Amino acid sequence: MILANKQICAKVLSSAYFLMILVEIAAAVIAYQPLSFAAHVALPILLLGLFFVESKHKNNWLLVLLLLQIFSNVYFFFAMSNIYVYTLVSFISLRVISLILVFQLTPDRNYLHLLSASFPFLIIFFYLASVTSDVSDTEFNILIFQNILISLLGGFSVVNYLKNDNRVHSLLLISTLLYIGLRFIVFIEHYFLGEESELIYKPIEIILSALATYTFYKFVLTAESTD
């Protein structure tokens, strides 16, 4: 009975999560900030609820990741200045914890393969960073660091997927590709496009961010259940 109740609760929370994605998209389209804020914060809270319902191991790093995501989403709407620098710092913190989780859950690793697989991602992101203009030294340094982190995560995902194409590594690869797509779109929109493009790219960013976080959450739970 307890197991059945947990399964029902997990299905309800998962359905609510995807419904909240649609709500946030609608709020972004009509530019209604209160609803957008509520939906944006509700997404990681729903994942946190799923974590307590589904997770048997209660991984502390995953808990920290979800709590940091909630804090980041709340702070984002109240930050009045340096919002992009803050976003980069937040992104770095989340990716550092993601890398810790990946290293923790994928013990079979070859660092030479990891660096080789990360190299194509590094070339793309470093090229984009090199052609940006009007960037402060602080922002540029943060940008370089986050490019290294996302490239390492991409390399790790590709290597693990090619070495062992199972459900765990497939979820990790999908999540990482979604994060890379999100980082690419946010970067292009901020540095190369005007504010008029926000209506087009904002829904895409919402979808990529929500699906990437959900898929990474599923990666952690699946990896732990196969140990």
Side-chain angles (χ1 to χ4, degrees):
M1 179 64 70
I2 296 177
L3 180 61
N5 289 337
K6 283 189 175 182
Q7 290 175 341
I8 293 173
C9 186
K11 289 181 180 179
V12 170
L13 288 171
S14 296
S15 300
Y17 184 87
F18 288 101
L19 177 61
M20 203 57 60
I21 296 175
L22 298 178
V23 171
E24 187 177 2
I25 292 173
V29 171
I30 64 176
Y32 186 53
Q33 287 299 318
L35 182 59
S36 181
F37 168 74
H40 196 59
V41 175
L43 287 171
I45 292 177
L46 288 169
L47 269 190
L48 185 63
L50 268 176
F51 169 77
F52 285 111
V53 171
E54 291 186 316
S55 178
K56 297 178 181 179
H57 301 277
K58 300 294 185 293
N59 189 298
N60 289 331
W61 283 114
L62 180 57
L63 177 60
V64 171
L65 181 72
L66 294 174
L67 290 174
L68 179 60
Q69 186 73 67
I70 294 171
F71 174 79
S72 299
N73 289 2
V74 171
Y75 184 83
F76 179 83
F77 277 87
F78 292 100
M80 300 304 294
S81 62
N82 296 325
I83 189 64
Y84 190 70
V85 173
Y86 157 74
T87 303
L88 289 178
V89 173
S90 173
F91 182 87
I92 286 173
S93 302
L94 292 169
R95 294 295 72 77
V96 167
I97 297 175
S98 298
L99 279 170
I100 291 173
L101 278 165
V102 171
F103 270 74
Q104 183 185 77
L105 297 172
T106 54
D108 182 20
R109 42 186 176 265
N110 184 305
Y111 294 104
L112 179 60
H113 293 167
L114 169 62
L115 292 176
S116 299
S118 302
F119 193 66
F121 297 107
L122 284 170
I123 291 177
I124 295 172
F125 282 113
F126 271 75
Y127 168 74
L128 290 175
S130 68
V131 297
T132 56
S133 58
D134 299 326
V135 180
S136 66
D137 291 340
T138 300
E139 186 173 348
F140 184 78
N141 292 333
I142 295 174
L143 188 61
I144 292 299
F145 188 41
Q146 70 95 28
N147 286 345
I148 293 173
L149 289 176
I150 194 65
S151 298
L152 287 174
L153 188 59
F156 215 116
S157 304
V158 170
V159 167
N160 279 285
Y161 179 78
L162 293 177
K163 289 174 64 176
N164 187 5
D165 178 12
N166 57 21
R167 176 173 169 76
V168 173
H169 296 148
S170 296
L171 287 170
L172 177 59
L173 180 64
I174 293 170
S175 174
T176 303
L177 291 177
L178 289 170
Y179 278 127
I180 289 174
L182 172 64
R183 193 71 256 146
F184 182 79
I185 288 178
V186 171
F187 185 90
I188 294 298
E189 181 186 11
H190 179 77
Y191 288 110
F192 298 101
L193 301 176
E195 293 183 0
E196 64 275 2
S197 64
E198 184 175 351
L199 184 62
I200 298 174
Y201 288 97
K202 189 62 176 179
I204 299 176
E205 293 171 13
I206 292 170
I207 293 171
L208 290 177
S209 177
L211 292 183
T213 305
Y214 183 84
T215 308
F216 189 83
Y217 163 79
K218 285 297 184 182
F219 152 71
V220 175
L221 260 62
T222 304
E224 289 180 338
S225 66
T226 56
D227 287 343

